[in-house]
Amino acid sequence: MEYDGTYFCGWQRQISDESAIFPGSNRIASTQCCNDTTQYSGVPPALNSVSSVPSVQGTIEKALKKITSHRILVEGAGRTDAGVHATNQVAHFDLPSGIKPEKLQLGLNFYLQPFCAAIVKLEEVAPTFHARFSAKARQYEYHIVNRPAPLTIRKNRAWHVSVPLDISIMQKAAGAFVGCHNFNSFRAAECQSANPIKTIDSFEILLLDGEIIGKVQAKSFLHNQVRIMMGTLVLMGKRKISSEIIPELLKAEDRSAAGPTAPAYGLYLTGVLY
Amino acid sequence: MEYDGTYFCGWQRQISDESAIFPGSNRIASTQCCNDTTQYSGVPPALNSVSSVPSVQGTIEKALKKITSHRILVEGAGRTDAGVHATNQVAHFDLPSGIKPEKLQLGLNFYLQPFCAAIVKLEEVAPTFHARFSAKARQYEYHIVNRPAPLTIRKNRAWHVSVPLDISIMQKAAGAFVGCHNFNSFRAAECQSANPIKTIDSFEILLLDGEIIGKVQAKSFLHNQVRIMMGTLVLMGKRKISSEIIPELLKAEDRSAAGPTAPAYGLYLTGVLY
């Protein structure tokens, strides 16, 4: 599926989505309007952070509820953050009855269209298929427009870096991320993964149609890993830090060693391999 | 310059812009708010169609007024309609005093940024240069996404055609537009050009990154000419009309002979040659 991350709080279902899908749930009182942030007693504060921006997962689950009248849980291949786009997200769900895929796709797209999300392809898979656990690799692209003038058509679609970047420096540096490393320096403080060791299959920096594009593939990534790697490469492209120090930054195993987290709106989930 | 046509009523200055730039003008009473559509006596109805959506030309002229305190008229290479984008529009204006180009560009972009328009390059030119009359050719691109699923990231950026198109038919047919022809069948009813004879330098249909792109170049175009040519090619791609009949459609010299006008939001002014 494809979505414009601008209009979502991210992939993951929020408590507000859940209350709408499971109105009988006693985990949170039902809120008809997302903007209704009235505090209900008995609800733990963490569960009561009602967001006015929908999640992708919750939006599909709501659409499935409308179509099938069933509570159907959707599993995605990867959780994208607020603002992050997807051109090829993959998700699966189990249907209780035999709705034809073509009919279901039309129905889902009818409900998803106002949210700027669409099911591009829908097909029946083996019961053993799992969007997340069957995935062999995830592919991401990070887009940068490097020029003094502000963005117009590419606003919310690419990171605007106004200071000139040396792409050849970034291209050489990116190679140091490839392979198996401890990426503790390159993950968000709130990252919940127990294991910071990840293997980057490939990481290329390209210049395409006037944009600098980082293309990266791995079996899986840590939270914000691609954005922190890109933020670090941009510091190198600006010649603010040496392009030789990626092995040192990895060795530090400390978030403060690496560069800033690049903005979410430049990132695209472009493929999931099975 | 570059702009996202979604947020403009088109290139051309509107009466509402003019009243804001020239408040002393007695052509129309000044309206502080664009949404104020109060009718003022003595104003011809045609001049009183106050639009709530700004024009590109008027927006630049307002920015120039704020920066220089002068009434400066901006001349563009081509008038784009509401919704039509530009990646390379060219415009010129005469400055009364010697503001440095870099400083002026920064100032203009400061005022243009909220409107999703930007001056990508600004330079001093010879006094004989005229953005419109010195132009030797204009280049346009028309983008189509051809798939059943609705658009998300490309919404307002490309025409969504859900019925399968035969690109090879469109590619062959487009060639028939190249050369010097009477394009009376391919211009809007409201087109004000005295001469419907135009010469198309080149017209290619490409498949790039999953989008069908029509690339066309001519010294100048009639009103809606590119969009009507594209609308006609899409009819041919759908096999609704023969791809051989472009010479006949041209010969008819009648708007009703040609296909529909393709939507504005698929069209991009991509270059002006001098």
Side-chain angles (χ1 to χ4, degrees), chain A residues 13-16 18 27-28 39-40 42-51:
Chain A
R13 180 195 311 119
Q14 302 295 296
I15 299 304
S16 54
E18 208 160 319
R27 287 181 62 194
I28 184 166
Q39 300 281 327
Y40 292 93
V43 178
L47 290 178
N48 204 22
S49 59
V50 177
S51 164

Side-chain angles (χ1 to χ4, degrees), chain B residues 205-245:
Chain B
I205 304 286
L206 309 166
L207 188 64
L208 258 174
D209 290 326
E211 295 192 3
I212 299 172
I213 304 173
K215 282 184 112 165
V216 58
Q217 182 184 304
K219 186 174 191 309
S220 63
F221 292 93
L222 298 165
H223 192 191
N224 283 358
Q225 187 183 344
V226 178
R227 289 165 57 192
I228 301 169
M229 291 192 295
M230 285 306 300
T232 306
L233 289 175
V234 162
L235 273 192
M236 292 169 175
K238 286 178 184 173
R239 300 171 195 263
K240 291 221 172 170
I241 56 171
S242 159
S243 60
E244 313 279 319
I245 61 164

